[in-house]
Amino acid sequence: MKQILSCVINDKILTKLTLSKSVDKSVIRSTGRLIEIKGKLYIALETFLTDGKAVQKNIPADEAAEVISKLIPEQYKQMNIMTTSGNCEVMASKKGKVTVINKIKKDTATAVDTSHNRQKQYIIPDNTPVDFLIALGVQDESGKVFDKKRSKFRQINRFLETVADIEQSIVSGDDLYILDLCCGKSYLSFALYYYFAKIKGYKVSMDCVDLKADVIEYCSSVSEKLNYDGLRFIAGDIRAFEVKRTPDLTVSLHACDIATDIVLAKGIDSGSRVIMSTPCCHHEMMHQLKPQGKALDLILEHSILKQKFADAMTDALRCKVLEIHGYDVNALELIDPEETPKNVLIRAVKRSKISKEKVERLKEEYREICNHFGIKPYLFDDYVK
């Protein structure tokens, strides 16, 4: 592992380094790339924390292989090394055994641009024509992103980055089944299909469901035009949709109010390996909140603060429900809050097992919170009680 890192750094073929499955639960992941500052080469390592903060550190290139290799398995259980000529994956078991899968071919490698102010490297590159982005009006035929769609382009790439971070938890074989509920215009549906089918080369079967028949008809026509054979769009109520098999990934972008809860319930009931959801408007709890005591009066007497509190409480309880049903859960910031106020991504990965004692403890915590605040969320009766 150390030798591989040393080679890809010294040969300047490293495009991105990702450290994930952190032992420290306050850390989401770390990413690194090569940069050159005043003629000296560094690895720019950025660590993302669950509180939304990020910590940057520049490690001199001649020290980086030594420093980074020591992070496995003490601090991280997985590392993905991406280069201009293939990738390498490093995984550590619970017992500390390290497995290296190296698919880097040095004879075809080309050096990367290490200038400090170089353009951000996206999973879907900028200024490179991509068929679905052109079809959906994000790019022109030359690959230039339209100014009014720049934030959507960043959102698509940011979402794919969060998917790539946990790809090993999603992928169980060469054949993937993905479920997108309340898919809307389906920018992320097309992006997910493109990522797994076109970039990664998996056989993808993907069902996208939404009530709006006109939107579904439009997306179906785009999918057919692009020959995305595994991408299907279905008009209907997500509650009535019958899941064909256990999904490898269930996603939903900005499902309104309790529609997000219905999505989470569908993911739980189907045993989805991974669930990713970005909630939208939160109305249910806003009208229920009647906390014991007067400690929150200073918040609840202001409607805008009450709404923000209800939003946070709703999503926190959703995370707790997912934990009760055997998922490891992170609440992440999807993209810059200046671009969209609806910016929370709930990402849940199914555990192999969870003890009955822990389930009961989590349920009791959930019930105590609900009793204290005088609320009964949508998922309470069927998924906690």
Side-chain angles (χ1 to χ4, degrees):
M1 173 177 53
K2 179 182 173 182
Q3 184 177 1
I4 294 170
L5 278 169
S6 181
C7 288
V8 301
I9 292 170
N10 292 334
D11 292 344
K12 297 184 179 180
I13 65 172
L14 178 70
T15 56
K16 186 177 181 181
L17 174 78
T18 301
L19 292 152
S20 55
K21 297 185 179 179
S22 173
V23 175
D24 183 349
K25 296 303 180 183
S26 68
V27 175
I28 300 169
R29 71 184 184 283
S30 291
T31 62
R33 64 181 178 90
L34 284 170
I35 63 169
E36 192 171 323
I37 305 174
K38 295 181 178 180
K40 293 185 178 181
L41 193 63
Y42 296 84
I43 291 288
L45 194 67
E46 187 168 21
T47 300
F48 298 90
L49 308 178
T50 55
D51 62 3
K53 297 178 181 178
V55 179
Q56 292 85 23
K57 181 181 181 181
N58 292 334
I59 307 171
D62 57 357
E63 301 173 13
E66 178 77 24
V67 171
I68 295 171
S69 62
K70 287 182 178 179
L71 299 178
I72 304 286
E74 281 76 12
Q75 295 186 38
Y76 296 92
K77 298 299 183 184
Q78 183 169 326
M79 176 167 61
N80 293 85
I81 304 168
M82 287 154 273
T83 78
T84 58
S85 61
N87 302 330
C88 176
E89 184 174 50
V90 181
M91 294 171 289
S93 68
K94 291 182 179 179
K95 295 182 178 180
K97 180 182 177 182
V98 177
T99 301
V100 179
I101 303 173
N102 186 12
K103 296 183 179 180
I104 299 172
K105 299 177 181 179
K106 287 187 63 177
D107 54 341
T108 61
T110 56
V112 300
D113 179 6
T114 58
S115 59
H116 185 52
N117 293 319
R118 69 185 177 89
Q119 190 177 47
K120 178 175 173 60
Q121 295 298 304
Y122 291 114
I123 288 178
I124 297 178
D126 204 350
N127 294 315
T128 301
V130 176
D131 54 4
F132 83 88
L133 291 176
I134 295 170
L136 295 178
V138 177
Q139 290 180 331
D140 64 18
E141 294 291 336
S142 70
K144 179 178 172 25
V145 177
F146 294 111
D147 289 342
K148 64 180 180 179
K149 293 294 185 180
R150 176 60 59 179
S151 63
K152 179 61 67 177
F153 179 75
R154 286 193 290 266
Q155 183 190 63
I156 288 170
N157 271 289
R158 171 62 181 141
F159 185 77
L160 291 181
E161 287 174 2
T162 67
V163 170
D165 285 346
I166 56 167
E167 187 172 328
Q168 293 306 310
S169 297
I170 297 169
V171 176
S172 57
D174 294 330
D175 185 3
L176 297 181
Y177 179 48
I178 301 174
L179 191 59
D180 188 349
L181 303 175
C182 301
C183 60
K185 196 174 178 181
S186 303
Y187 290 100
L188 296 188
S189 312
F190 283 98
L192 277 172
Y193 186 85
Y194 180 84
Y195 176 75
F196 282 114
K198 305 300 181 180
I199 296 179
K200 292 295 185 174
Y202 295 108
K203 181 181 178 182
V204 179
S205 176
M206 186 168 177
D207 288 332
C208 307
V209 187
D210 197 279
L211 275 173
K212 299 176 182 176
D214 57 336
V215 173
I216 290 298
E217 183 179 357
Y218 167 76
C219 292
S220 295
S221 67
V222 173
S223 179
E224 184 177 350
K225 188 183 300 182
L226 296 174
N227 295 315
Y228 283 13
D229 297 333
L231 182 59
R232 292 173 297 277
F233 292 90
I234 301 128
D237 192 322
I238 61 173
R239 286 171 291 196
F241 179 74
E242 294 185 9
V243 182
K244 296 178 180 179
R245 70 179 212 230
T246 300
D248 294 291
L249 174 63
T250 299
V251 300
S252 179
L253 178 68
H254 296 160
C256 289
D257 200 24
I258 63 168
T260 291
D261 299 297
I262 297 169
V263 170
L264 298 182
K266 205 77 172 180
I268 290 169
D269 291 343
S270 63
S272 185
R273 289 166 57 84
V274 174
I275 301 171
M276 300 179 72
S277 177
T278 57
C280 187
C281 47
H282 304 66
H283 300 307
E284 181 190 43
M285 193 178 297
M286 181 73 169
H287 305 295
Q288 294 185 16
L289 275 171
K290 292 181 181 178
Q292 297 175 17
K294 297 183 177 295
L296 290 179
D297 284 358
L298 77 167
I299 292 177
L300 302 185
E301 67 184 11
H302 301 284
S303 60
I304 188 170
L305 299 180
K306 181 180 179 181
Q307 182 64 67
K308 289 179 180 294
F309 179 83
D311 292 355
M313 178 64 74
T314 299
D315 289 337
L317 287 171
R318 285 167 172 164
C319 291
K320 184 69 72 175
V321 169
L322 288 164
E323 289 181 38
I324 288 169
H325 289 272
Y327 288 86
D328 288 322
V329 187
N330 284 314
L332 313 174
E333 187 175 78
L334 180 59
I335 201 167
D336 193 323
E338 291 184 3
E339 297 190 13
T340 173
K342 306 301 182 182
N343 196 35
V344 174
L345 170 66
I346 296 173
R347 188 176 67 184
V349 178
K350 188 77 172 176
R351 291 194 212 98
S352 57
K353 60 182 179 180
I354 181 173
S355 69
K356 290 182 179 179
E357 292 78 13
K358 185 171 184 179
V359 169
E360 289 306 314
R361 177 174 59 78
L362 291 171
K363 283 185 175 181
E364 183 58 30
E365 290 174 1
Y366 188 100
R367 289 191 290 263
E368 285 182 5
I369 292 168
C370 290
N371 289 336
H372 180 79
F373 288 99
I375 55 179
K376 190 176 182 182
Y378 178 88
L379 296 171
F380 184 90
D381 283 339
D382 295 329
Y383 294 90
V384 181
K385 188 176 179 181

